[in-house]
Amino acid sequence: MSSLSRELVFLILQFLEEEKFKEAVHRLEKDSGFFFNMRYFEEKVQSGEWEEVEKYLSGFTKVDDNRYSMKIFFEIRKQKYLEALDRQDKAKAVEILVNDLKVFSTFNEELYKEITQLLILGNFRENEQLSKYGDTKTARSIMLIELKKLIEANPLFRDKLAFPTLKSSRLRTLINQSLNWQHQLCKNPRPNPDIKTLFTDHNCTPPNGPLAPTPVNLPVAAVAKPAAYTPLGAHGPFPPTAVAANANVLAGWMANASASSSVQAAVVTASSIPVPQNQGTPGIVDYQSNDHEQLMKRLRPAQSVEEVTYPTQRQQAHWSLEDLPRTVAMTIHQGSTVTSMDFHPSRHTLLLVGSSNGEITLWELMLRERLVSKPFKIWDPPNCSMAFQASFAKDTSVSVSRVTWSPDEKFVGVAFTKHLIHLYAYPASNDLCQNIEIDAHAGGVNDLAFAHPNKQLCLVSCGDDKLIKVWDLTGRKLFNFEGHEAPVYSVCPHHKENIQFIFSTAVDGKIKAWLYDHVGSRVDYDAPGHGCTTMLYSADGSRLFSCGTSKDGDSYLVEWNESEGAIKRTYSGFKKKSVGVVQFDTTQNHFLAAGEDSQIKFWDMDDTTVLTSMDAEGGLSSLPRLRFNKEGNLLGVTTADNGFKILANAVGLRYFRAVEAPSFEALRSPIESAAAKVPGSSVVTNVNSVNCKVERSSPIRPSPILNGADPMSRSMEKPRIVAEDVTDRSKTWQLSEISDAVQCRLVTMPDSNDSSSKVVRLLYTNSGVGVLALGSNGVQRLWKWTRNEQNPSGKATASVVPQHWQPNSGLLMSNDVSGVNLEEAVPCIALSKNDSYVMSACGGKVSLFNMMTFKVMTTFMPPPPASTFLAFHPQDNNIIAIGMEDSTIHIYNVRVDAVKSKLKGHQKRITGLAFSTNLNILVSSGADAQLCVWSIDTWEKRKSITIQIPSGKAPAGDTRVQFHSDQIRLLVVHETQLAIYDVSKMDRTRQWVPQDALPAPISSAAYSCNSQLVYATFCDGNIGVYDADSLRLRCRIAPTVYLSQAALNGQTWYPLVVAAHPLDSNQFAIGLSDGSVKVIEPIESEGKWGTTPPMDNGVPNGRTGSSSTASNHTPDQAQR
């Protein structure tokens, strides 16, 4: 759905609420999934309408979407269950237990048993954990607090908790504007027309009676071309409305300008100002035109436009003081007074600091490490102006006035107190590279910001010379804005829809606004106090604030009403007088913070009184500078002793515990309040890729990750019992043979053909919305599916081509392969449960990548020996099992950055690792065809066996292992066989060897997500789909399905790796030796891969024991 169609839904929601169609409002909220009405949700929870509560929730999330959703549904159903017990309604309690809570038993059977035992108690409060359970109303209120936190933390509810700020009856206004427009187009417009319908376009009937409508011919200059007006449901904009909004971006400011303004007060629309084309300024495009001016004249609402006001207060997201970073996490000595700070846009612990000695420093706060330090120096003295050289010769002291990151994270801008701007490039490594030096202003450069006029990244600067200038990244000046009568103190570039503009403030308190043209200031306004003022928008760009201090020392923090150019509210709480200018910042679209009187003061944006204040354990500057990181969980604030402090909330503190107590925080169940121990749970994973790292900043501690799988989301899918599994033996069973692409659904990942880099590791993201491939060159590539009309679930599908995803920076996720022989390297990979980080290696150090920015967060375990397999301990993600090239297994403790144990038992490199919590063991496999079983408690070896290699075959090649969802059966994959082992006895129960229709060596295999199927790929390009219990072949997919005829006739390409979708048991992906990745599904009419082969005295359909389907279907005991 287009963004404007989405906005139309919000307008309809507003209209329905204004008209009191309450049920329709909430139905549309649920059906669209655009706005989660927390107030309505609270009402239904408080009234105990559980069916409606879950029904409303279902429009936004399902129980198995993620751990937050699971905890939400669990808390609701648990409360419903306890209330039934409290009413002594045991029948209803049993119904809830079986129908609602049973779904959680596969994840935490022990907890489910404990909940069940409550039935036998006379009063469930006899249970120690429930002894403080009060009355129903109180219990619901307590649960609501927890539910709100879960909903706010759940990424599926992001941007859905706040209703857009709209003027009342916005839809009515737009309709009236449309009718006015239609009336303007009438050939014979009548005064005060009587419009009785919206179903057809309005047309004034001629005075002599109704006639057929006459085409209207208007001059081009008078009205935009009709073709520009798209249908309401089109993906393009609604032109009349869009133009009105764009043209009036600064209208309110202009209408309310002071008498001294250079803009006439009577002029109320920006479009009425003539805007000539840019002259001699390539790359920048005007946003207004004479056509727009004429159009706006015709679009101005008539006096008869109806204005109706309805109360439309919407429930906003809930906040608390705990969201504010108020705990001192660290104090850092910079060595010189800190004059400016800016956090990296996505690496939330990376802080850029500018100092009074001209030095800039890049700090990694998580490590408390100074990554880069750049003292001031002139890069290109010959190109500096004579004025600067004279000034510098007289006084060599230079201070940093501003440091700032570019929004695309590629550049760092630095402004100095003498003339210069330095632009650094920020490559993938933690370094700053000189890019361009600009002699920008005569005197000091007081402020610097990045902007995007016409989608071109530029620098905007201001200085003591009373000018604002715009530069491209080569140092070429694009615009020179004159008009201030005093030094310009700050700039604030912004945009509304497609209108780009700049607010500027001068030391005399004048506020001006500029469009990217040569016309001059559009606004001339006075800041409160008539002193130095800084202007900032909230993070979402919807609210404008300013903070400054007058010459008399009075400080002002205000919010502006942009539409009227007037002050909306003034915040209280400042001292009477300040020496200097108060600095401020905004965060989370909800809070303001300012530094004054050696304190930090916080305000709720919607409340003018101080929310709280603090001195951060003392030692702050008298007027401390402060800066939030993008997430609002860290706050940097300057100290009086040439340093700064970092304050954090609970989420921010986890960044630093990663160093003090581990990089990977131990994981517990999301149902952690009720169960301290997590028993074995369903585990499904790809044999070729396992395990994950804990997302450090997750606001809720995630559930255990067993071998890279999500035990809850995957165990929710019960083994299906369908009619096809009960085979009619009177019918002849046939192997399903797929040899043409029309017999299945298939999609090739775009930009994935690179024959120089084979796909050697492949996995789905845990959410099922993407595919991640690791190439033999150490580079990882990511493809994502998006939610749209063709793919409403947003999950991976073969019916829609995904996007080859890369960050704006264009970075690649490349492992460090310096000095590595790639032909001998063994790549390995693991993905964090929340898909935020991926850990991998390719013969070199293990690297941790940010999945959003593709930047390397950290590296560890440098070779030799090289890492060949990664697996996380299922009950403590601070412990990583790392298979090594030298045949050992290192049990690495991230908490202490040390190898806890070194397991020795193999003769060759480690090729597979799999944990079983049911059996409390780790199973390892190696290139020596051995399987070793290790105790998780003591890391002692319990048993070791060699897999049985068919006669005539060498015991060489990789052996992979993967546990069945029951945590007892183990799939063992070798090029010579597929085998199933009962690990409790370490007995092999099934074996299949390549033969008949599938004679080639096996290249890879994996269980389906429900462990009902096994997908196997072969070195001749064939793919086999097997029944997981019997290892009987049920479907063969030929290479002609996914390879072109040219590929079949030329090189021998084949799948090196297969991955099973984490949620859809019939979807899998393959990575090929030609570098391509393909996703394959059965056709919709079939919905599955073949049918289960029948069992007729051990030999299906009379075939001999050498058949592909039957040769190894029987237990090993029978074969022996």
Side-chain angles (χ1 to χ4, degrees):
M1 181 179 285
S2 71
S3 60
L4 289 180
S5 296
R6 188 174 187 271
E7 290 180 4
L8 178 59
V9 173
F10 283 111
L11 296 180
I12 296 171
L13 283 172
Q14 183 196 42
F15 174 78
L16 292 174
E17 184 160 295
E18 291 171 342
E19 296 298 317
K20 311 301 181 186
F21 295 116
K22 295 298 184 182
E23 290 186 10
V25 169
H26 304 310
R27 175 68 181 269
L28 181 55
E29 289 168 348
K30 179 182 77 71
D31 289 349
S32 67
F34 291 161
F35 173 65
F36 184 83
N37 192 324
M38 188 72 81
R39 182 177 57 189
Y40 175 71
F41 180 72
E42 290 177 20
E43 290 173 358
K44 294 304 174 184
V45 170
Q46 290 285 20
S47 62
E49 297 178 48
W50 305 118
E51 184 177 350
E52 176 58 23
V53 167
E54 289 209 23
K55 186 178 178 182
Y56 187 70
L57 270 174
S58 68
F60 303 88
T61 184
K62 300 293 185 294
V63 69
D64 57 350
D65 278 345
N66 57 41
R67 66 176 59 89
Y68 305 101
S69 301
M70 189 171 302
K71 186 78 185 301
I72 291 168
F73 280 96
F74 176 78
E75 291 295 331
I76 291 170
R77 294 176 183 182
K78 181 183 72 174
Q79 180 63 28
K80 181 167 61 168
Y81 176 68
L82 294 177
E83 289 184 16
L85 290 176
D86 212 19
R87 297 193 305 269
Q88 298 299 314
D89 190 348
K90 293 295 179 72
K92 184 64 177 178
V94 170
E95 179 186 331
I96 296 169
L97 188 68
V98 174
N99 296 335
D100 295 338
L101 291 169
K102 179 69 174 177
V103 69
F104 301 102
S105 64
T106 50
F107 169 66
N108 197 329
E109 188 175 358
E110 193 170 294
L111 174 61
Y112 184 72
K113 289 178 180 177
E114 187 175 351
I115 292 174
T116 303
Q117 289 170 359
L118 298 178
L119 287 167
I120 64 176
L121 300 177
N123 186 336
F124 63 78
R125 294 172 180 80
E126 296 172 21
N127 181 290
E128 183 179 353
Q129 296 185 40
L130 297 171
S131 59
K132 295 183 180 180
Y133 184 97
D135 60 278
T136 297
K137 183 178 180 180
T138 303
R140 289 175 181 174
S141 298
I142 293 172
M143 179 188 65
L144 257 177
I145 295 172
E146 178 70 10
L147 291 180
K148 290 176 188 176
K149 292 179 180 178
L150 290 167
I151 289 170
E152 289 166 8
N154 194 329
L156 294 177
F157 289 83
R158 190 170 296 147
D159 301 325
K160 297 181 179 180
L161 297 177
F163 197 84
T165 302
L166 302 174
K167 288 189 175 181
S168 61
S169 305
R170 178 62 179 159
L171 188 57
R172 288 178 183 271
T173 301
L174 291 176
I175 292 172
N176 282 323
Q177 289 175 351
S178 174
L179 293 174
N180 285 326
W181 170 251
Q182 294 173 33
H183 184 59
Q184 293 279 0
L185 292 179
C186 289
K187 187 173 182 179
N188 298 298
R190 291 183 172 183
N192 302 316
D194 184 15
I195 301 175
K196 296 181 178 180
T197 180
L198 298 177
F199 293 159
T200 58
D201 286 349
H202 164 67
N203 186 40
C204 289
T205 306
N208 56 351
L211 296 175
T214 305
V216 178
N217 296 310
L218 297 175
V220 174
V223 59
K225 297 177 181 179
Y229 295 86
T230 54
L232 204 59
H235 291 285
F238 303 127
T241 308
V243 172
N246 294 343
N248 282 281
V249 170
L250 305 176
W253 290 82
M254 296 162 63
N256 289 284
S258 63
S260 62
S261 171
S262 60
V263 180
Q264 295 298 317
V267 181
V268 294
T269 60
S271 62
S272 62
I273 300 173
V275 183
Q277 295 294 317
N278 287 320
Q279 301 170 1
T281 308
I284 303 294
V285 177
D286 276 326
Y287 295 94
Q288 282 80 23
S289 68
N290 290 330
D291 284 351
H292 282 189
E293 177 186 347
Q294 296 298 327
L295 181 60
M296 283 306 302
K297 289 179 180 178
R298 299 182 64 87
L299 284 175
R300 288 173 190 162
Q303 295 298 317
S304 61
V305 172
E306 181 183 8
E307 287 292 345
V308 183
T309 302
Y310 293 90
T312 58
Q313 184 63 35
R314 282 285 184 170
Q315 182 70 32
Q316 302 295 317
H318 293 267
W319 305 88
S320 72
L321 283 176
E322 300 304 315
D323 297 309
L324 288 171
R326 296 186 298 154
T327 302
V328 177
M330 65 181 68
T331 302
I332 292 180
H333 184 67
Q334 176 69 23
S336 179
T337 302
V338 175
T339 55
S340 181
M341 297 179 289
D342 196 24
F343 280 93
H344 188 277
S346 63
R347 290 179 60 180
H348 305 307
T349 60
L350 199 60
L351 179 65
L352 186 65
V353 176
S355 305
S356 60
N357 63 358
E359 180 184 42
I360 64 167
T361 307
L362 189 60
W363 289 92
E364 175 48 81
L365 302 176
M366 189 167 61
L367 304 174
R368 294 172 171 79
E369 181 180 349
R370 192 190 300 246
L371 301 178
V372 179
S373 182
K374 299 285 187 181
F376 173 78
K377 68 176 182 178
I378 304 171
W379 295 351
D380 191 6
N383 284 331
C384 291
S385 66
M386 294 301 296
F388 169 70
Q389 294 183 42
S391 173
F392 189 73
K394 183 183 297 185
D395 181 7
T396 58
S397 63
V398 175
S399 177
V400 173
S401 54
R402 184 81 155 98
V403 292
T404 183
W405 287 94
S406 67
D408 63 1
E409 307 172 7
K410 293 181 180 180
F411 298 98
V412 163
V414 186
F416 295 97
T417 53
K418 280 189 173 69
H419 287 251
L420 298 184
I421 293 171
H422 282 175
L423 182 66
Y424 289 90
Y426 180 68
S429 59
N430 287 321
D431 195 12
L432 296 175
C433 304
Q434 294 181 12
N435 191 66
I436 193 72
E437 182 178 65
I438 306 172
D439 191 338
H441 293 270
V445 183
N446 295 327
D447 200 7
L448 184 68
F450 286 93
H452 270 103
N454 200 31
K455 299 183 180 179
Q456 177 184 357
L457 185 62
C458 298
L459 282 164
V460 180
S461 64
C462 65
D464 288 341
D465 54 7
K466 308 175 186 178
L467 300 177
I468 300 101
K469 300 182 182 182
V470 181
W471 315 85
D472 70 12
L473 298 190
T474 67
R476 182 168 61 102
K477 185 168 65 177
L478 302 177
F479 292 98
N480 192 75
F481 298 129
E482 301 181 28
H484 278 291
E485 298 176 357
V488 185
Y489 180 74
S490 72
V491 289
C492 177
H494 196 60
H495 66 91
K496 290 287 185 181
E497 301 191 21
N498 68 335
I499 301 295
Q500 299 272 351
F501 56 92
I502 304 166
F503 278 118
S504 63
T505 65
V507 298
D508 61 0
K510 289 294 183 182
I511 298 174
K512 293 182 182 290
W514 318 80
L515 297 174
Y516 291 86
D517 53 32
H518 299 284
V519 173
S521 171
R522 298 303 207 276
V523 165
D524 187 354
Y525 211 69
D526 292 321
H530 302 274
C532 295
T533 299
T534 303
M535 303 186 80
L536 288 178
Y537 276 89
S538 57
D540 60 5
S542 64
R543 302 174 72 171
L544 177 63
F545 302 89
S546 72
C547 181
T549 304
S550 70
K551 294 178 181 179
D552 297 329
D554 296 318
S555 297
Y556 300 86
L557 176 61
V558 303
E559 180 179 7
W560 293 89
N561 185 328
E562 283 189 275
S563 64
E564 299 177 4
I567 293 174
K568 183 176 182 179
R569 56 172 59 91
T570 300
Y571 299 89
S572 61
F574 288 107
K575 281 180 58 179
K576 290 295 183 183
K577 303 293 180 182
S578 294
V579 180
V581 181
V582 169
Q583 305 295 318
F584 86 117
D585 200 2
T586 75
T587 186
Q588 302 179 34
N589 298 314
H590 195 79
F591 297 111
L592 300 167
E596 188 216 25
D597 193 24
S598 299
Q599 289 186 322
I600 309 164
K601 298 180 178 179
F602 297 95
W603 290 264
D604 184 310
M605 289 181 178
D606 297 320
D607 189 347
T608 59
T609 59
V610 174
L611 182 63
T612 187
S613 61
M614 61 179 297
D615 63 1
E617 300 177 2
L620 298 185
S621 311
S622 58
L623 292 175
R625 296 179 179 271
L626 40 80
R627 189 70 171 174
F628 288 100
N629 70 348
K630 186 176 180 181
E631 295 296 306
N633 49 41
L634 298 180
L635 174 63
V637 57
T638 57
T639 60
D641 59 352
N642 298 338
F644 60 91
K645 293 186 178 186
I646 299 298
L647 281 60
N649 62 13
V651 175
L653 286 172
R654 292 179 189 167
Y655 297 141
F656 311 119
R657 290 176 188 150
V659 176
E660 297 167 356
S663 301
F664 308 103
E665 189 175 357
L667 298 182
R668 284 160 48 193
S669 159
I671 312 172
E672 56 190 351
S673 60
K677 182 179 178 182
V678 181
S681 55
S682 299
V683 180
V684 181
T685 184
N686 173 14
V687 170
N688 302 282
S689 56
V690 295
N691 309 328
C692 57
K693 171 187 175 297
V694 177
E695 160 59 2
R696 294 172 178 165
S697 62
S698 174
I700 294 183
R701 303 175 71 178
S703 56
I705 313 304
L706 309 182
N707 299 322
D710 177 356
M712 281 306 287
S713 64
R714 297 183 181 183
S715 63
M716 290 303 171
E717 183 172 351
K718 304 294 184 185
R720 296 182 304 159
I721 301 175
V722 292
E724 59 99 346
D725 288 321
V726 184
T727 308
D728 184 353
R729 300 190 181 205
S730 64
K731 298 180 180 178
T732 302
W733 176 87
Q734 287 186 335
L735 174 69
S736 176
E737 297 269 2
I738 297 178
S739 57
D740 194 294
V742 298
Q743 295 176 275
C744 65
R745 289 180 290 164
L746 179 144
V747 64
T748 300
M749 304 299 99
D751 307 320
S752 68
N753 288 78
D754 181 8
S755 57
S756 65
S757 177
K758 305 172 184 178
V759 178
V760 288
R761 295 292 179 266
L762 185 69
L763 54 109
Y764 281 89
T765 59
N766 294 292
S767 59
V769 301
V771 170
L772 181 65
L774 174 58
S776 57
N777 61 356
V779 177
Q780 294 155 115
R781 291 172 294 168
L782 175 66
W783 294 271
K784 287 184 178 181
W785 282 259
T786 55
R787 190 189 301 270
N788 52 39
E789 293 177 359
Q790 291 76 32
N791 184 25
S793 71
K795 305 296 184 184
T797 174
S799 302
V800 177
V801 178
Q803 175 191 6
H804 182 200
W805 199 89
Q806 276 188 292
N808 293 332
S809 63
L811 282 179
L812 298 176
M813 273 196 290
S814 302
N815 278 284
D816 181 7
V817 294
S818 55
V820 174
N821 185 340
L822 291 177
E823 292 188 2
E824 296 179 359
V826 180
C828 49
I829 189 171
L831 181 65
S832 70
K833 175 60 190 70
N834 62 2
D835 299 329
S836 293
Y837 299 96
V838 63
M839 184 183 299
S840 64
C842 189
K845 294 180 289 187
V846 178
S847 298
L848 177 68
F849 295 88
N850 183 308
M851 283 279 281
M852 292 300 295
T853 65
F854 287 10
K855 293 181 182 295
V856 176
M857 306 299 290
T858 187
T859 60
F860 59 95
M861 296 296 288
S867 305
T868 57
F869 208 92
L870 302 170
F872 289 92
H873 192 293
Q875 294 168 332
D876 185 356
N877 266 35
N878 296 300
I879 307 298
I880 310 173
I882 306 177
M884 309 301 289
E885 190 178 39
D886 66 354
S887 78
T888 61
I889 302 167
H890 290 191
I891 306 303
Y892 179 73
N893 189 323
V894 184
R895 183 182 294 109
V896 296
D897 190 23
V899 175
K900 181 179 178 182
S901 300
K902 187 180 291 187
L903 315 184
K904 297 181 180 180
H906 289 275
Q907 305 304 313
K908 294 184 179 180
R909 71 174 183 272
I910 305 302
T911 58
L913 297 167
F915 282 95
S916 169
T917 50
N918 273 5
L919 302 175
N920 210 32
I921 59 171
L922 167 68
V923 176
S924 61
S925 60
D928 55 3
Q930 277 198 95
L931 302 178
C932 293
V933 180
W934 313 85
S935 166
I936 289 180
D937 295 328
T938 63
W939 300 114
E940 294 178 352
K941 186 167 71 173
R942 289 186 179 177
K943 196 170 185 179
S944 176
I945 65 169
T946 301
I947 65 174
Q948 298 179 22
I949 304 296
S951 58
K953 303 289 185 179
D958 291 356
T959 305
R960 302 282 182 182
V961 289
Q962 178 188 3
F963 270 106
H964 186 281
S965 58
D966 64 10
Q967 288 281 282
I968 296 175
R969 283 174 284 181
L970 184 76
L971 174 64
V972 178
V973 183
H974 187 264
E975 65 181 27
T976 63
Q977 64 186 281
L978 301 174
I980 304 293
Y981 282 75
D982 181 344
V983 184
S984 63
K985 305 172 184 176
M986 214 53 198
D987 286 340
R988 191 182 69 186
T989 59
R990 292 286 187 274
Q991 184 189 45
W992 183 93
V993 297
Q995 60 197 283
D996 293 353
L998 297 171
I1002 300 168
S1003 59
S1004 178
Y1007 272 126
S1008 64
C1009 65
N1010 60 2
S1011 296
Q1012 300 302 298
L1013 302 174
V1014 172
Y1015 298 109
T1017 56
F1018 295 81
C1019 294
D1020 61 359
N1022 279 295
I1023 302 170
V1025 183
Y1026 300 79
D1027 179 78
D1029 291 332
S1030 64
L1031 285 186
R1032 290 173 174 270
L1033 182 67
R1034 55 191 288 162
C1035 179
R1036 182 182 74 90
I1037 303 170
T1040 52
V1041 170
Y1042 60 87
L1043 290 177
S1044 66
Q1045 192 59 45
L1048 292 168
N1049 295 337
Q1051 294 282 346
T1052 305
W1053 306 125
Y1054 66 96
L1056 290 171
V1057 60
V1058 63
H1061 191 284
L1063 304 172
D1064 184 349
S1065 60
N1066 285 294
Q1067 184 188 128
F1068 63 92
I1070 54 173
L1072 278 71
S1073 54
D1074 68 350
S1076 66
V1077 175
K1078 302 174 187 292
V1079 169
I1080 306 176
E1081 294 177 288
I1083 56 177
E1084 292 183 3
S1085 59
E1086 290 290 335
K1088 59 184 181 297
W1089 298 109
T1091 56
T1092 303
M1095 304 285 288
D1096 291 329
N1097 296 322
V1099 181
N1101 298 322
R1103 297 184 67 181
T1104 65
S1106 64
S1107 75
S1108 294
T1109 59
S1111 64
N1112 296 291
H1113 74 282
T1114 55
D1116 267 21
Q1117 291 83 346
Q1119 292 182 4
R1120 299 189 190 116

